[in-house]
Amino acid sequence: MGIVRSSLKLLPALLLCSAITASVVHADAAADSKCRAAIGKNAAAFAQAKLKLLQKCNEALVKKGLPVGSCPDQKTSDKITSTQAKVDAAIVKSCAGKDKVCAAGGDDANPGFPATCPNFENGNCNGAIADCSGIGPCLNDCIGEAAVDQAVSLYYLGLIPQDPKAAKDANKCQLAISKSITGFFGAKSKALQKCWDTENKLGLKGSTTTACPPFGAGDGKAQAAIDKAKAKSDGAICKACGGADKLCDGNADIDPATLGFPSSCPPVTVPGTSTQACGGAITTMAQLRDCLDCVTEFKIDCISLAAAQGFPSAPAYPAECNVVLPATPTPTVTATVTGGGPTPTVTPTVTGGGPTATVTATVTGGGPTPTATSTPGGGGATCPTEITFTGTSTNGVLDTGWTGNGHDATVISNGTVSVSVSGCSGAAPNCNVCSYTGPIENTGTHQIHVRRCQNDSAIFCTSDGDCTGGTGPCKFFFGSNLPLAAGGVSTCVQNVFAAGITGTANVDTSGAGAGTSVGSASVTSIVFNGITLSNPCPQCNGDTTINDGVKGGTCSGGLHNGSSCDANGSSPNAAFGTTSLDCPPLAGAKIAALPINLDNTTGTKTRTLVSTSPTCRAPGWTALKCQCDTCGDNSGTVCATDSDCAAGIICGGKRCIGGANIGAACTVASQCPGSACSATGAQTAANQCDGGPGSGDCVADAGTPSPNDRICSSGPLESFCGPVETFRGCHADSECTRPGDTCSVSRFRDCFDNGTLGETVTSTGQADPPSGHQSDPTLAAMFCVGPTSSASVNSAAGLPGLGRLELQGHSVDNGTP
């Protein structure tokens, strides 16, 4: 795309008054120019200020060797909100005429800003701008917020804590990276803002103007200033991270992986071109440096070009800035149950405006323990040979992680799984206990087609050979894509069966054990960064009939943006819309692939803290026990006791996180050259109640439909938007962006237990004897969830941690009476 110039945007500045005063600029043109200057200045100022505040907050954690992810804290969040209000007000003041009120008095400036917010990465920054009061919220509250949060997630959110004393080099490197790249962000932003301001003034005088970088040379100074700032940042990074020679040349450089940076860089297209940039593997410090530079430049270019709309010589807002890009290392985890099956999925969620992840667990798909049904009948009766199970999207329970942020997750509709049935112990119509195995392809009317290529779920398959070009393997999916959001961060989750489903079901209509079922399933929850908070997954828009095999909709975002799709399922939350496996997320947005081993039952599951349970690791909690941790080696295996680990390995034991001795047991960082002596995931605690360790504040919740729920009696008491975006944390109505929502939902933080021996967590199922070959059982499961690669997600959700599922569903068998 070349430079697009709009002569219409120059007219206000070129309307010179009468011939005898040709050198005098019309007053309206001067007001328009003043307004444009305020727009550019304040948009740049907000992005710079927010990034600097988040940098200081995260830097304080890095200096102490603490996990990042708790930023912004309340103090930082308040400063960001205050800055946002200040810059928005400054734009109104400069653009609203003498009365300083937009759309009043008829004297507002006409800066040429578009009537619709230009949007960013296909997010939700696309609202109408009726008057000058809408410009600040578009540029600052939405585009600036999104771009800075994404940049910060790359800079910080995957970082592994480094011991400030024992791992000095790694800690120093982390600090230098974040400080240097933040400085470059600010310097480039300032250079572009000054450039556009110069062009604005030239246009007011009737002089020739030129687009600023990346489309043109502008004032001739901007690019030189940008190059200088970039060289300074690169030099500082290599000086701190490049080994003894202080060069990023592979000679004893710090390994980016040991710091927690992602293994690949998010790809982008340079605004105004078809040139691909960024992308590629991150295995060396030089590659990490280049990735940070590239992604940072892209974010700033788009913020600058959005603010420059209406300036003399400004190009049209580039389409490349509004393409859905892979998100950087995860922001929040949420486990959610979808459809019918107990397949927990972890996804990131953050609160407030910044990268403060709030996590909720999510389980998807059909249901690994279908309950068979059969109805007594006369001659010719047969026992079932197949059962389908569809999870319902209401009244289920899905709780993940010890912080309580990931409890009470939502589900998605139309997740169906089918299994084969055989070996019934009785004869029809009293078939009694039957065995089932699966999954098999769904064949019923309006049921989701679940056998697809794992790396491109739009491709149907029957074997791995059908998945060419790296799109395989061929897997059974567990329902449609799951949109999840909480506390300012969103994720999109796909669930696939890692192995088979097995179990037994009593299909008798009456008598002892009728309607009971016991089974197991192994699933993998593949987690992707969400597109936006209100739109986590690519949507399938316009398809009127779900799962009819007709691709009547269009993918919005993701790998197949713009392609046709058959809608597969909808979230009960209206903000999330309808999703489809025909519309998978971008591969580069993947942040986790979590193995979940599910044993489920229509009876009761319990987990009790015993002496062999792992010791909690968070400061102040080390005298208490936690439900889950990871084995003290490099396997990443999640565990509840030492018996879940290899012989001699301690559940929750310290090990070298990276470096030459990765996976080796350790007690101090000096035993782990180039890395830290720690355990993966968040430093575990029993809960995040305000009362703290040993307070006993995690008590039964009398106000919930589930008898197993517990809440923090001492707080925290948290507020959320409602009635729709109940995943969005808030302090005031103004923070609820969906029309009709207010900051009206309050609830105490959830919890599992108090960390003391004998504490028991329960998940309760419900048998339902079949009638007419149909039943409505509830499946119960308890499981440990491992950590993701994102420190912010782990910290927000409390991972590694316990997961609980109570999933209602509907099963149908093909037996005959």
Side-chain angles (χ1 to χ4, degrees):
M1 182 178 71
I3 299 175
V4 179
R5 302 175 187 274
S6 175
S7 59
L8 292 176
K9 295 176 181 177
L10 296 176
L11 288 178
L14 297 177
L15 291 176
L16 305 182
C17 289
S18 63
I20 58 173
T21 57
S23 61
V24 180
V25 179
H26 192 276
D28 287 347
D32 297 345
S33 179
K34 178 183 177 182
C35 176
R36 282 194 293 267
I39 291 171
K41 178 181 178 180
N42 286 283
F46 174 71
Q48 295 162 25
K50 177 174 180 176
L51 184 62
K52 190 64 177 178
L53 287 168
L54 292 174
Q55 186 254 332
K56 288 183 177 179
C57 180
N58 282 286
E59 185 179 66
L61 298 174
V62 173
K63 286 181 177 180
K64 297 176 182 178
L66 297 176
V68 296
S70 59
C71 291
D73 53 22
Q74 190 60 55
K75 182 178 179 181
T76 303
S77 182
D78 289 345
K79 287 183 178 179
I80 292 172
T81 301
S82 174
T83 302
Q84 198 172 68
K86 181 179 179 180
V87 295
D88 288 355
I91 291 175
V92 170
K93 182 178 180 181
S94 296
C95 298
K98 292 182 179 180
D99 57 10
K100 309 303 178 188
V101 179
C102 293
D107 59 350
D108 289 4
N110 180 18
F113 202 79
T116 301
C117 189
N119 213 345
F120 177 69
E121 295 189 11
N122 201 25
N124 58 0
C125 305
N126 53 3
I129 300 176
D131 53 59
C132 60
S133 65
I135 298 175
C138 163
L139 293 175
N140 304 322
D141 306 12
C142 200
I143 293 177
E145 287 268 22
V148 171
D149 285 347
Q150 291 173 18
V152 168
S153 70
L154 177 61
Y155 303 165
Y156 287 104
L157 293 189
L159 295 186
I160 296 171
Q162 306 291 336
D163 187 327
K165 295 182 179 179
K168 291 181 180 179
D169 290 345
N171 191 261
K172 178 182 178 182
C173 175
Q174 283 185 345
L175 290 168
I177 289 173
S178 56
K179 183 176 181 179
S180 299
I181 202 65
T182 298
F184 174 50
F185 187 112
K188 175 165 181 173
S189 177
K190 289 177 183 177
L192 291 177
Q193 185 265 320
K194 288 181 179 179
C195 178
W196 283 114
D197 199 37
T198 297
E199 298 308 303
N200 183 42
K201 292 176 181 177
L202 290 173
L204 181 64
K205 296 176 181 178
S207 302
T208 301
T209 61
T210 305
C212 294
F215 283 81
D219 60 5
K221 300 177 182 179
Q223 192 58 54
I226 293 169
D227 292 344
K228 181 178 179 181
K230 182 177 178 181
K232 180 179 178 181
S233 173
D234 289 353
I237 291 173
C238 291
K239 181 179 179 180
C241 307
D245 59 7
K246 303 185 184 305
L247 300 172
C248 294
D249 58 1
N251 184 15
D253 296 355
I254 298 290
D255 182 357
T258 65
L259 302 179
F261 282 98
S263 59
S264 61
C265 187
V268 304
T269 302
V270 178
T273 76
S274 58
T275 304
Q276 294 295 309
C278 308
I282 299 178
T283 59
T284 68
M285 188 52 62
Q287 290 171 334
L288 174 59
R289 174 203 63 198
D290 294 345
C291 172
L292 293 169
D293 287 343
C294 187
V295 172
T296 297
E297 294 219 57
F298 174 82
K299 305 292 184 188
I300 302 168
D301 284 342
C302 292
I303 293 174
S304 175
L305 289 165
Q309 296 304 293
F311 278 47
S313 75
Y317 187 66
E320 292 79 13
C321 290
N322 204 19
V323 174
V324 181
L325 301 179
T328 45
T330 168
T332 332
V333 177
T334 63
T336 305
V337 180
T338 313
T343 325
T345 319
V346 178
T347 42
T349 307
V350 181
T351 349
T356 318
T358 296
V359 181
T360 42
T362 308
V363 179
T364 4
T369 21
T371 301
T373 63
S374 180
T375 306
T382 62
C383 292
T385 57
E386 290 185 11
I387 299 173
T388 62
F389 180 95
T390 302
T392 58
S393 58
T394 56
N395 299 324
V397 172
L398 180 59
D399 303 322
T400 301
W402 54 262
T403 63
N405 291 322
H407 292 204
D408 298 331
T410 58
V411 302
I412 198 165
S413 70
N414 297 85
T416 301
V417 64
S418 298
V419 294
S420 298
V421 179
S422 62
C424 298
S425 59
N430 300 311
C431 299
N432 202 251
V433 177
C434 304
S435 298
Y436 61 79
T437 60
I440 60 176
E441 183 61 85
N442 299 323
T443 57
T445 303
H446 296 307
Q447 291 179 357
I448 184 173
H449 186 107
V450 291
R451 201 170 190 191
R452 302 175 181 237
C453 297
Q454 179 171 302
N455 296 325
D456 186 349
S457 57
I459 303 174
F460 292 1
C461 61
T462 57
S463 67
D464 290 349
D466 296 329
C467 302
T468 59
T471 60
C474 182
K475 290 286 188 180
F476 285 93
F477 280 70
F478 204 5
S480 185
N481 303 331
L482 304 177
L484 305 170
V489 170
S490 67
T491 57
C492 183
V493 180
Q494 291 187 325
N495 288 295
V496 299
F497 287 101
I501 304 171
T502 60
T504 60
N506 186 323
V507 299
D508 281 354
T509 59
S510 62
T516 60
S517 118
V518 177
S520 63
S522 176
V523 299
T524 301
S525 294
I526 306 171
V527 185
F528 300 84
N529 275 326
I531 299 172
T532 67
L533 184 63
S534 299
N535 181 30
C537 289
Q539 294 185 0
C540 180
N541 296 325
D543 192 21
T544 57
T545 306
I546 286 179
N547 296 319
D548 63 349
V550 178
K551 295 185 177 183
T554 303
C555 295
S556 175
L559 183 62
H560 298 305
N561 185 37
S563 298
S564 59
C565 56
D566 179 19
N568 294 148
S570 298
S571 170
N573 192 304
F576 293 160
T578 299
T579 68
S580 171
L581 292 178
D582 295 334
C583 308
L586 288 167
K590 178 179 173 181
I591 57 174
L594 301 174
I596 305 292
N597 184 8
L598 291 180
D599 291 331
N600 48 80
T601 178
T602 51
T604 300
K605 288 279 188 178
T606 60
R607 291 271 182 146
T608 302
L609 290 174
V610 295
S611 59
T612 53
S613 298
T615 299
C616 298
R617 293 187 277 113
W621 288 91
T622 54
L624 299 173
K625 293 292 184 179
C626 281
Q627 292 282 359
C628 299
D629 212 315
T630 57
C631 296
D633 54 16
N634 192 35
S635 65
T637 303
V638 68
C639 55
T641 67
D642 293 350
S643 62
D644 294 327
C645 305
I649 302 300
I650 303 300
C651 180
K654 288 186 177 182
R655 79 297 307 252
C656 294
I657 299 299
N661 295 338
I662 184 170
C666 61
T667 55
V668 294
S670 59
Q671 297 169 335
C672 306
S675 183
C677 177
S678 185
T680 55
Q683 296 185 32
T684 53
N687 59 55
Q688 216 167 49
C689 298
D690 284 348
S695 64
D697 288 352
C698 183
V699 300
D701 182 6
T704 178
S706 173
N708 301 319
D709 272 3
R710 299 171 83 174
I711 58 171
C712 296
S713 60
S714 59
L717 177 65
E718 298 167 308
S719 297
F720 300 87
C721 297
V724 178
E725 292 193 344
T726 53
F727 49 80
R728 187 184 293 273
C730 60
H731 298 93
D733 290 348
S734 60
E735 298 175 32
C736 300
T737 59
R738 187 179 179 87
D741 270 7
T742 59
C743 191
S744 55
V745 179
S746 295
R747 56 180 179 261
F748 282 101
R749 181 77 65 84
D750 289 328
C751 54
F752 277 135
D753 59 56
N754 290 299
T756 56
L757 294 180
E759 287 266 21
T760 298
V761 183
T762 303
S763 180
T764 305
Q766 180 64 55
D768 183 43
S771 174
H773 294 276
Q774 301 183 52
S775 66
D776 297 295
T778 296
L779 306 175
M782 301 278 282
F783 43 87
C784 285
V785 181
T788 71
S789 60
S790 165
S792 63
V793 170
N794 299 335
S795 177
L799 299 179
L802 185 63
R804 170 171 56 197
L805 174 67
E806 295 173 1
L807 180 63
Q808 295 181 338
H810 182 72
S811 71
V812 180
D813 73 50
N814 67 346
T816 58

